[in-house]
Amino acid sequence: MTCCKQQDESSSAAEEYWNTAAWHSGGVVCWEGIMLLVRAFLPARSLAAAGLWCRQKHTLPDLPYDYGALEPTINAEIMQLHHSKHHQTYVNNLNVAEEKLAEAKEKGDVSTIISLAPALKFNGGGHINHSIFWQNLSPDGGEPEGELLAAINRDFGSVENMKNQLSAQTVAVQGSGWGWLGYNKQKGTLQSCYVSKPGSS
Ligand SMILES: [Fe+2]
C-alpha cells in the first residue's frame, strides 16, 4: 500500500520480489517468454534439474537524485549511508536468503524452506519499502494538492490530522517502524497503515 504516484513502482517492486522469490536457480540465462510457457507445463524441480530455470538477483536501485539533493533537510552523508549501506544490506541478504531457498527446494528440505521465511520477509520487505521511500522524497518539498489533497481532507479531515494519525501510529512502534499513506481500492478511501518492522506486514 503506497500513496499517490508511487503505486506503480511499489506494485512492480512487490511483483518482482514475489515472482523472483518463487523462482529456482538454474544457472543459465533465461528467455522470459519461453520460460513462462515452459513453467506452465513443467514442475519447477524438473526445470531446475534440466538447467532451464533461472533466478534474477535483486539489485540496489539508483537514486533518482544526487545524495546531496535533499540538503539541508537530510545531508549527503546520511543519504549515502542509508542508500549504499543500509538498503544495499537488505538487497544482499535477500539474495542470500533466496539462494538458500533455491538450494533447500532442490533438496526438498522442507524445514530449511520454512526457516527461511522470516529472512525473506524481513529483507524483501526492507528492499521494497526503501525502493518506494526513495521515490517519495523531493528536494522541493511542498504540500499535497489537487485530487490527493481533496482525498486527504475527505478521509482525514485535514492534512494536519493525517500527519498526526500517521505519526502517532509509527511513533508507538518499537524499533524502526514504517508508516504509509495508501489507497484502499476496496473501500475507495485513503488509509494510513504501519508495520512494526520492514518485513512484518
Ligand atoms: Fe532505512
Side-chain angles (χ1 to χ4, degrees):
M1 188 185 296
T2 63
C3 73
C4 52
K5 63 175 185 172
Q6 297 317 322
Q7 207 156 355
D8 288 346
E9 280 93 347
S10 69
S11 5
S12 65
E15 248 175 51
E16 187 219 348
Y17 169 62
W18 290 115
N19 287 339
T20 309
W23 286 12
H24 281 237
S25 172
V28 294
V29 176
C30 71
W31 185 9
E32 203 169 318
I34 290 177
M35 290 310 296
L36 284 173
L37 206 62
V38 175
R39 280 168 66 187
F41 294 100
L42 287 174
R45 213 169 199 190
S46 312
L47 293 171
L52 290 172
W53 200 265
C54 73
R55 185 180 66 79
Q56 289 179 333
K57 287 209 169 202
H58 300 280
T59 54
L60 182 69
D62 289 335
L63 280 190
Y65 39 77
D66 294 334
Y67 284 131
L70 304 178
E71 290 185 340
T73 308
I74 308 178
N75 71 34
E77 193 184 352
I78 293 289
M79 287 298 289
Q80 185 168 15
L81 193 74
H82 200 175
H83 178 255
S84 69
K85 303 285 185 199
H86 193 187
H87 189 171
Q88 180 72 64
T89 302
Y90 281 114
V91 170
N92 294 346
N93 290 341
L94 178 59
N95 285 326
V96 168
E98 286 188 352
E99 275 165 29
K100 288 181 181 171
L101 178 67
E103 283 172 24
K105 280 184 173 177
E106 282 283 328
K107 294 175 188 166
D109 182 352
V110 177
S111 57
T112 299
I113 292 172
I114 293 169
S115 73
L116 286 167
L120 289 165
K121 201 172 175 185
F122 182 81
N123 294 297
H127 175 35
I128 291 169
N129 284 343
H130 281 86
S131 299
I132 297 167
F133 176 68
W134 303 128
Q135 299 285 336
N136 280 284
L137 299 175
S138 161
D140 304 323
E143 294 292 326
E145 55 188 33
E147 270 186 79
L148 177 60
L149 177 62
I152 290 173
N153 287 335
R154 180 195 64 205
D155 299 331
F156 292 89
S158 68
V159 173
E160 207 54 35
N161 283 351
M162 181 273 292
K163 285 182 183 174
N164 289 341
Q165 184 172 318
L166 203 49
S167 299
Q169 285 176 328
T170 50
V171 84
V173 174
Q174 187 179 17
S176 50
W178 288 75
W180 303 106
L181 175 66
Y183 179 69
N184 185 322
K185 283 184 185 174
Q186 285 177 327
K187 293 182 180 171
T189 60
L190 294 178
Q191 191 173 306
S192 64
C193 66
Y194 66 94
V195 291
S196 58
K197 288 191 175 155
S200 66
S201 176

